[in-house]
Amino acid sequence: MTEQAGPRELVGHAVAAEAAGFDFAVMSDHFSPWLTSQGHAPNAWATLGAVSQATSVIELMTYVTCPIMRYHPTVVAQQAATVGLLSEGRFTLGLGAGENLNEHVVGRGWPPVNVRHEMLVEAVDIISALFSGEYVNTAGKHFRVDSAKLWDVPERRVPIAMAVSGAQSVSTFAPLTDHMVAVEPDADLVSQWDSTRAEHGGGRDPGSRKIGQIPICWDADREAAIARAHDQFRWFAGGWKVNAELPGPAGFAGATQFVRESDVADSIPCGPEVEPIVKAVSAFWEAGFTDIALIQIGGDTQDAFTGFAERELLPALREASA
């Protein structure tokens, strides 16, 4: 998470993850941390460029980029194509409708969710058209593109993964993108995603991936892990309908002031044990997800967590999910 470490440290984390045997690495794309205690927010795209050169086999992905306000979709397309080339085809562009936390900084206000989805549909269409390497001109309700062309595009088109949260977003974006991103192990989302894609001819990639995420807080001391998770990740308790609307760390601190450490411990695996993590992650593969991003809470503990993952966690997860 770009909110938990500086850019040089993040590059080091990616290198260590590749050496430990992780299959893919995802990177949040934020202008601000959720909570002040997280303390970081470097530029994701500059960091990804460095990661692409410091690693060689691990897949890379934005998790996720909002292409409707802080970035114009033409800029996102250029960034994604460039990282696709730098990584020699290891990059997936993860997209979502964004959060007020990051997008308000350009001073355009924060539109309601139905408008954000309208904007996101237009943005996906623009990005997909630009990935062809041809000239693109469009005058939509929200975006205008005037004679835009990407001069450097990878031979393998950059796949697009879309963050979804319910039936409406699935029905809208399953036909337009390649892979699904979700934060809850919801089997209905998976089945609807697959059935919607089948109805539309499978889209561009019939082998569509369903990518989930789960926060965990590893530490040799379970109480220390719970305290750190509460300090840095209690914002997660609000849910995305709330999280998308709050404008800054002070708002998240206020909204979560009554979240207790016990609440966090009940919802996030904390401590040194493998089994609680495997149990929590198993809900995703049982729901039909193909990939899972493990979000370790606390940048200062990432190296220790990576060692634990290599020795114990990854083997246990692969055995349990076989």
Side-chain angles (χ1 to χ4, degrees):
M1 295 190 71
T2 56
E3 305 88 84
Q4 295 186 159
R8 293 180 65 86
E9 290 74 20
L10 289 168
V11 175
H13 294 165
V15 171
E18 180 176 76
F22 280 92
D23 300 302
F24 70 112
V26 302
M27 175 174 287
S28 58
D29 185 354
H30 285 202
F31 197 86
S32 172
W34 301 100
L35 294 166
T36 301
S37 57
Q38 290 179 315
H40 297 276
N43 181 269
W45 291 94
T47 306
L48 272 171
V51 169
S52 73
Q53 300 306 287
T55 59
S56 58
V57 296
I58 195 169
E59 292 185 47
L60 306 174
M61 180 180 174
T62 50
Y63 208 81
V64 292
T65 288
C66 175
I68 63 174
M69 296 190 71
R70 184 167 44 113
Y71 305 119
H72 191 279
T74 56
V75 175
V76 172
Q78 185 187 38
Q79 293 174 144
T82 299
V83 174
L85 286 166
L86 286 169
S87 65
E88 298 183 296
R90 292 183 284 133
F91 178 66
T92 295
L93 174 62
L95 296 177
E99 301 93 20
N100 193 8
L101 173 72
N102 307 296
E103 307 308 315
H104 79 274
V105 296
V106 295
R108 293 177 56 195
W110 185 235
V113 66
N114 62 309
V115 175
R116 301 200 301 268
H117 279 188
E118 287 178 1
M119 297 172 74
L120 191 53
V121 169
E122 282 191 29
V124 170
D125 287 342
I126 291 167
I127 292 167
S128 296
L130 285 167
F131 281 170
S132 70
E134 303 297 325
Y135 280 100
V136 175
N137 294 276
T138 183
K141 182 178 179 180
H142 300 285
F143 298 108
R144 184 179 184 93
V145 179
D146 184 8
S147 191
K149 171 182 168 68
L150 297 183
W151 291 89
D152 293 276
V153 293
E155 290 185 13
R156 174 182 175 268
R157 187 188 189 100
V158 173
I160 299 175
M162 179 60 69
V164 298
S165 59
Q168 181 180 355
S169 54
V170 169
S171 62
T172 300
F173 294 107
L176 302 179
T177 58
D178 303 297
H179 309 303
M180 184 186 90
V181 173
V183 298
E184 297 291 339
D186 188 337
D188 290 338
L189 282 183
V190 172
S191 60
Q192 186 190 358
W193 180 271
D194 286 339
S195 62
T196 303
R197 287 180 59 79
E199 291 169 7
H200 290 81
R204 292 193 300 274
D205 179 10
S208 183
R209 294 160 72 173
K210 276 69 70 173
I211 306 162
Q213 78 170 55
I214 184 168
I216 61 180
C217 194
W218 182 88
D219 197 290
D221 182 338
R222 185 170 187 270
E223 295 306 315
I226 293 171
R228 187 170 68 248
H230 179 264
D231 178 53
Q232 294 194 21
F233 224 79
R234 66 184 184 276
W235 62 269
F236 201 67
W240 290 106
K241 289 184 181 298
V242 173
N243 294 344
E245 306 300 331
L246 297 176
F252 281 93
T256 58
Q257 62 182 311
F258 299 115
V259 176
R260 300 166 299 179
E261 288 191 0
S262 59
D263 297 324
V264 172
D266 288 341
S267 60
I268 296 174
C270 295
E273 300 299 324
V274 171
E275 188 55 36
I277 302 174
V278 173
K279 181 179 179 180
V281 175
S282 69
F284 283 89
W285 69 64
E286 289 169 359
F289 282 73
T290 60
D291 302 76
I292 181 72
L294 305 177
I295 312 270
Q296 163 67 1
I297 299 171
D300 292 343
T301 61
Q302 189 77 21
D303 289 339
F305 164 73
T306 302
F308 158 74
E310 180 178 13
R311 294 187 307 272
E312 301 181 53
L313 181 58
L314 290 176
L317 285 169
R318 287 178 176 135
E319 180 180 1
S321 64

